[in-house]
Amino acid sequence: IAGITQAPTSQILAAGRRMTLRCTQDMRHNAMYWYRQDLGLGLRLIHYSNTAGTTGKGEVPDGYSVSRANTDDFPLTLASAVPSQTSVYFCASSDREDTQYFGPGTRLTVL
Amino acid sequence: GQNIDQPTEMTATEGAIVQINCTYQTSGFNGLFWYQQHAGEAPTFLSYNVLDGLEEKGRFSSFLSRSKGYSYLLLKELQMKDSASYLCASMDSNYQLIWGAGTKLIIKP
């Protein structure tokens, strides 16, 4: 693989279900990010990780959790999905102070 | 607070020049980024400015004035494939990107 991959590409989920969005990068970047993008709004940061083993909360962290067990993977978990979490989710990575590179996104619909 | 402002939508003609403006207010400043995003796709990096002045990269140029909290993206010789949203983002003192809502650019033949 080259760059950042995300899975699944899209998902329809019943409210109350648990869901993990996967993100893997092979660029050995230290920092990784999860954003959500909603129509008419800018990208909003959910959680981030500056290096493996550490995570931090972004602008809209409620209802989401992350882990960073190694450099390459940064999964995002919705413990109990709600309709307001319907969005497009982008994972990104960077060498912290440098340019962020984005994965292809996951389109999530919560019914 | 932190805020990024850019126009919601702009229309231009194929072959022409268009300037997309962005004003920013963030806690600290570590650079101004422009990204391009085609519908249904991920944002892709276009340019980065941290010093005042103009950075030229082919048909695209980006300008920064730190004292005014202002940047613009200049697109020359517009092509139909330039139809996309253009996202302005300021990197704050924590090296986090603060994003504008994006400017949708419509190119007409």
Side-chain angles (χ1 to χ4, degrees), chain A residues 33 35 37 40-45 48 50 90 96-105 107, chain B residues 30 33 35 37 40-45 48 87 91 93-102:
Chain A
Y33 313 84
Y35 292 95
Q37 187 175 41
L41 299 176
L43 288 160
R44 292 184 292 169
L45 183 65
Y48 64 94
N50 286 333
F90 287 104
R96 193 157 185 235
E97 301 86 16
D98 209 338
T99 304
Q100 292 186 17
Y101 295 93
F102 285 78
R107 186 173 296 274
Chain B
N30 281 298
F33 290 80
Y35 281 74
Q37 186 177 24
E41 298 183 6
T44 56
F45 170 74
Y48 169 68
L87 314 181
M91 182 170 276
S93 57
N94 294 317
Y95 299 101
Q96 302 291 358
L97 286 179
I98 310 301
W99 296 84

Side-chain angles (χ1 to χ4, degrees), chain A residues 2-108:
Chain A
I4 303 181
T5 58
Q6 292 184 234
T9 302
S10 65
Q11 182 75 43
I12 298 174
L13 190 66
R17 297 297 296 268
R18 180 183 179 90
M19 175 73 191
T20 295
L21 308 185
R22 300 184 298 279
C23 175
T24 299
Q25 55 108 356
D26 67 354
M27 296 178 284
R28 307 305 292 173
H29 285 162
N30 288 322
M32 296 187 75
Y33 313 84
W34 274 106
Y35 292 95
R36 59 178 290 173
Q37 187 175 41
D38 302 290
L39 202 62
L41 299 176
L43 288 160
R44 292 184 292 169
L45 183 65
I46 304 170
H47 285 286
Y48 64 94
S49 169
N50 286 333
T51 189
T54 68
T55 63
K57 294 181 180 180
E59 179 186 356
V60 289
D62 294 344
Y64 306 95
S65 63
V66 291
S67 61
R68 186 88 183 277
N70 56 61
T71 297
D72 298 345
D73 301 299
F74 191 43
L76 176 74
T77 298
L78 289 69
S80 179
V82 295
S84 62
Q85 291 177 313
T86 293
S87 187
V88 180
Y89 291 86
F90 287 104
C91 179
S93 72
S94 73
D95 276 332
R96 193 157 185 235
E97 301 86 16
D98 209 338
T99 304
Q100 292 186 17
Y101 295 93
F102 285 78
T106 294
R107 186 173 296 274
L108 181 67

